[in-house]
């Protein structure tokens, strides 16, 4: 998006996909782009998290207080009495406090949902000075003498470290590396600083800059690591840092002049986040999520060993609080729900039961309820929004609680289409549990998400963060929720340059889990590898291999200059495979662009399976809801199980969607996955959506043969007509366009039926087939050239053989 002065692409999934229309939903909360055309790839986890419980601790220089963030406010904990007093009262979310050396001021981040700024708060009078450029600001740090404030800003075109003189306002850039630089920590003698540098997607560095020597060098390097954060000792040249250990973060210390010698301080699993030294250097404070994703303030010795909780005996809010019970109903019965609650000034109210999430599309914080939940709220009115999946309308109510000390609020959630009653089951075939977010979760923790989204089947996938393969302990596990919704683990094989593969329902772990040229990922396996090996290894498994988040933009990937948007091995694998899935709907890619890729394979008679997966992250803070992209499978009266929902999906008895329900039939009620005779045939579309949809269309062999205006939000409409079907190929329906809002979390509403085949499954129309083959052959030539450019003279026999086999298959009979 173009607005202001810096282009920021906020990413929650680490891929090589570039900024695009589909991703606008994740950038538009911070819509800053500059005239220099710089792209700043900013992972969503670089932003602060809104938590229930203390995070971002900072000990005062006199040891009497600990500042921290909790529930979007800055608090001061008296270390002697154990009483925490709320310091800030902003409608925005405040976080990451840092003390001035004399203890008279605190600097912190203020996030209003569309922009971040730095606030310098004077403790004696409560005065606030704000640093707010037209770009994002993060992570303040006072200079040793207190005259300057260091902070991260995008004002120069990339997210670098700047400093501003607090009296004159003069500002100067300190670092100029490509990527993102943040988490500045000054050595207390003022001789240098330590900071974190995210170098593109390939690595994350902890760097030490010496002001006296004029040097700036990395002292620790790793791959993707959201919580690599450090703090400097109050008197020595020592730092404490949270280092990634597979699924965990553990505290270590090192001397900035001898960084190769790392001392592990917390050898046991504690998921240590946001570490900071005590004022005397004898202890280290950090935050840690508990089993219910509530944050605790913890402490350990500077020399490591045991870990203990820092007790907060009482919280002084400065106002009377009250408990409100929110009950959600659907069809007159209690229902689980996704909830968003704000106070009268718009500040988000959090749950003390489970994780807190942020919807970057709408700027809304949300959490889940099983149908009844108690929350602590301030006086005055609160606004509550409730949904239960894509097929419900958002119920938004503002309730003035008056003088009541306790209250019960009941919201009825209206369902616009009852999938179960209509014989359908829903599935999200691509999301993750732990992906380096602020929470640590297990499969059972995901059950409230399935119930709150009314999602029948969920398929979280193991995934690698470069050198770390996450969630291996859960491989193959299946759990069932209170509402009989089903979760089964699979795996994402991130061969990256070759295309990401989802092993949906495949229980056995596949290795290696990544490979490719040394352009982005560190080398795990040799270069002579192919995605075809994954397909061969899983051929006997009872799951489905799917190409995920394939086409990033709303474009025809086969047009001139666009072939590079197609995953490197998708075409060859689709041509050579009997069964292969393609993720048509995904939060990170474009549905219309991906549909064009899908159409070419259908046009050569390959029944590529229409799949949908949100690619969200249960343990992340900034993430779309699971089920924001989903398949609806026609169960034909059968009770949903994991196996039969996946089987129906593989047969194409389904539609994919991020908002509308799209029921398409031809002739005598022939549904997707079925076969219809050629010739003039009647058709019918029943379209229902909680959100307005601009267009509805009938597609034959990739061409739109009928189009009409769509529907208003909450409307159901039936369309009908006649279509002249050729002697081969397929027919389908789609609906798309309009503004996205709750319950959806994507860039625009979209739904597409699986194809109904003409005369037989896999039939083709000669003209459409010839054109598709020509396009696919061009794509194979492009893939071969891209691989040659990336690999050079390295041996890539397996990849090349797959390309040649696909070319021969397509060329046969031409």
């Amino acid at each position: 998006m173009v607005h202001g002065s810096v282009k920021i692409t906020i990413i929650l999934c680490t891929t090589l996909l570039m900024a695009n229309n589909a991703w606008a939903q994740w950038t538009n909360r911070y819509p800053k782009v500059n005239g220099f055309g710089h792209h700043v790839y900013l992972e969503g986890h670089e932003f602060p998290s809104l938590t229930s419980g203390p995070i971002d601790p900072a000990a005062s220089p006199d040891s009497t207080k600990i500042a921290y963030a909790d529930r979007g406010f800055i608090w001061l904990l008296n270390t002697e009495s154990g009483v925490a007093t709320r310091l800030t009262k902003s409608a925005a979310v405040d976080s990451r406090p840092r003390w001035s050396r004399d203890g008279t001021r605190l600097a912190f981040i203020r996030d209003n949902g569309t922009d971040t700024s730095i606030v310098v708060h004077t403790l004696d009078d409560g005065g606030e000075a704000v640093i707010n450029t037209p770009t994002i600001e993060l992570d303040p740090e006072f200079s040793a003498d207190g005259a300057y404030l260091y902070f991260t800003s995008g004002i120069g075109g990339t997210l670098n470290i700047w400093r501003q003189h607090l009296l004159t306002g003069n500002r100067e850039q300190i670092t100029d590396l490509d990527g993102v630089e943040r988490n500045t920590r000054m050595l207390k003698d003022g001789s240098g600083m330590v900071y974190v540098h995210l170098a593109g997607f390939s690595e994350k560095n902890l760097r030490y800059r010496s002001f006296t020597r004029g040097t700036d060098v990395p002292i620790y390097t790793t791959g993707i690591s959201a919580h690599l954060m450090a703090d400097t000792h109050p008197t020595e040249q020592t730092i404490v840092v949270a280092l990634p250990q597979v699924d965990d973060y553990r505290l270590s210390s090192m001397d900035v002049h001898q960084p190769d010698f790392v001392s592990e301080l917390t050898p046991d699993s504690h998921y240590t986040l946001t570490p900071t030294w005590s004022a005397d250097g004898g202890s280290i404070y950090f935050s840690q999520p508990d089993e219910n994703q509530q944050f605790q303030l913890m402490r350990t010795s500077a020399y490591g060993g045991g870990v203990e909780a820092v007790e907060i005996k009482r919280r002084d809010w400065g106002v009377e609080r009250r408990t409100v019970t929110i009950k959600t109903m659907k069809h007159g019965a209690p229902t689980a729900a996704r909830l968003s609650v704000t106070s009268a000034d718009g500040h988000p109210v959090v749950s003390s039961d489970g994780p807190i999430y942020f919807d970057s599309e709408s700027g809304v914080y949300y959490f889940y309820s099983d149908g009844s939940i108690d929350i602590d709220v301030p006086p005055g009115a609160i606004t509550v929004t409730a949904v239960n999946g894509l097929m419900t309308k958002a119920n938004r109510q503002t309730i003035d609680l008056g003088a009541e000390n306790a209250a019960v609020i009941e919201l009825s959630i209206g369902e616009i289409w009852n999938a179960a009653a209509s014989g359908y089951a829903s599935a999200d075939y691509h999301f993750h549990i732990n992906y380096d977010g602020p929470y640590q979760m297990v499969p059972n923790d995901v059950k409230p998400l399935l119930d709150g989204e009314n999602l029948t089947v969920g398929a979280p996938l193991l995934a690698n963060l470069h050198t770390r393969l996450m969630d291996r302990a859960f491989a193959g596990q299946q759990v069932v929720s209170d509402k009989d919704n089903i979760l089964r683990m699979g795996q994402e094989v991130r061969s990256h340059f070759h295309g990401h593969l989802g092993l949906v329902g495949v229980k056995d772990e596949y290795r290696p889990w990544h490979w490719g040229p040394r352009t982005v990922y560190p080398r795990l396996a040799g270069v002579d590898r192919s995605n075809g090996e994954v397909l061969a290894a899983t051929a006997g498994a009872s799951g489905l291999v799917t190409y995920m988040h394939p086409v990033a933009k709303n474009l025809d990937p086969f047009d001139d200059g666009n072939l590079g948007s197609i995953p490197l091995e998708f075409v060859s694998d689709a041509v050579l495979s009997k069964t292969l899935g393609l993720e048509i709907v995904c939060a990170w890619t474009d549905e219309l662009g991906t549909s064009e890729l899908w159409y070419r394979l259908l046009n050569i008679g390959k029944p590529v399976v229409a799949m949908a997966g949100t690619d969200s992250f249960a343990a992340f803070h900034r993430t779309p809801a699971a089920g924001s992209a989903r398949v609806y499978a026609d169960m034909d009266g059968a009770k949903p199980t994991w196996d039969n929902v996946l089987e129906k999906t593989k047969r194409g008895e389904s539609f994919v969607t991020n908002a509308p329900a799209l029921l398409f039939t031809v002739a005598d009620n022939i549904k997707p996955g079925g076969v219809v005779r050629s010739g003039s045939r009647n058709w019918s579309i029943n379209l229902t959506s909680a959100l307005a949809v601009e267009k509805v269309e009938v597609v034959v062999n990739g061409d739109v043969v009928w189009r009409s205006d769509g529907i208003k939000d909450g409307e159901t409409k039936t369309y009908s007509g006649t279509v002249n079907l050729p002697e081969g190929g397929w027919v389908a329906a789609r609906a798309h366009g309009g503004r996205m809002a709750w319950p959806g979390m994507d860039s625009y509403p979209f739904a597409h039926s699986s194809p109904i085949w003409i005369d037989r499954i896999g039939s083709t129309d000669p003209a459409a087939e010839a054109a598709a083959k020509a396009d696919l052959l061009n794509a194979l030539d492009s893939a071969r050239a891209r691989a040659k450019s990336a690999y050079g003279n390295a041996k890539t026999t397996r990849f090349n053989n797959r390309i040649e086999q696909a070319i021969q298959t397509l060329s046969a009979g031409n």
Side-chain angles (χ1 to χ4, degrees), residues 760-772:
R760 62 177 176 84
I761 293 175
S763 70
T764 60
D765 172 76
E769 181 183 18

Side-chain angles (χ1 to χ4, degrees), residues 169-187:
N170 293 334
R171 186 183 301 145
E172 61 181 318
Q173 186 172 342
I174 302 301
T175 61
D176 60 357
L177 300 174
D178 288 334
V180 177
E181 300 147 25
R182 68 168 197 84
N183 183 223
T184 305
R185 294 293 184 262
M186 307 301 297
L187 294 176

Side-chain angles (χ1 to χ4, degrees), residues 656-678:
V656 293
T657 186
N658 61 22
L662 178 69
L663 306 183
F664 179 55
T665 61
V666 178
D668 298 324
N669 200 36
I670 297 171
K671 299 179 181 180
V675 176
V676 64
R677 289 183 295 114
S678 58

Side-chain angles (χ1 to χ4, degrees), residues 744-766:
M745 294 188 189
D746 204 339
S747 47
Y748 55 86
F750 177 90
H752 205 303
S753 75
S754 288
I756 298 171
W757 291 91
I758 302 170
D759 288 341
R760 62 177 176 84
I761 293 175
S763 70
T764 60
D765 172 76

Side-chain angles (χ1 to χ4, degrees), residues 462 471-478 488-490 506-509:
L462 281 66
D471 290 341
R472 289 183 58 204
F474 311 140
Q477 285 191 20
Q478 177 170 310
R488 182 180 289 183
M489 298 295 298
V506 177
K507 295 182 179 180
D508 295 330
E509 180 186 319

Side-chain angles (χ1 to χ4, degrees), residues 106-176:
L106 276 171
F108 50 86
I109 302 170
R110 179 159 288 166
D111 182 354
N112 67 10
T114 60
D115 191 17
T116 59
S117 58
I118 302 298
V119 175
V120 180
H121 183 104
T122 303
L123 293 175
D124 62 356
D125 62 6
E128 292 187 346
V130 179
I131 299 174
N132 187 19
T133 75
T135 71
I136 290 168
E137 276 74 53
L138 295 170
D139 296 4
E141 175 80 345
F142 287 95
S143 62
D145 61 7
Y148 291 88
L149 192 74
Y150 289 73
F151 59 97
T152 293
S153 178
I155 195 170
T158 56
L159 282 166
N160 303 117
I161 296 170
W162 291 67
R163 73 172 186 176
Q164 180 166 319
H165 195 277
L166 292 173
L167 287 181
T168 66
N170 293 334
R171 186 183 301 145
E172 61 181 318
Q173 186 172 342
I174 302 301
T175 61
D176 60 357

Side-chain angles (χ1 to χ4, degrees), residues 2 304 381 400 465 479:
V2 179
D400 191 342
L465 295 174
V479 299

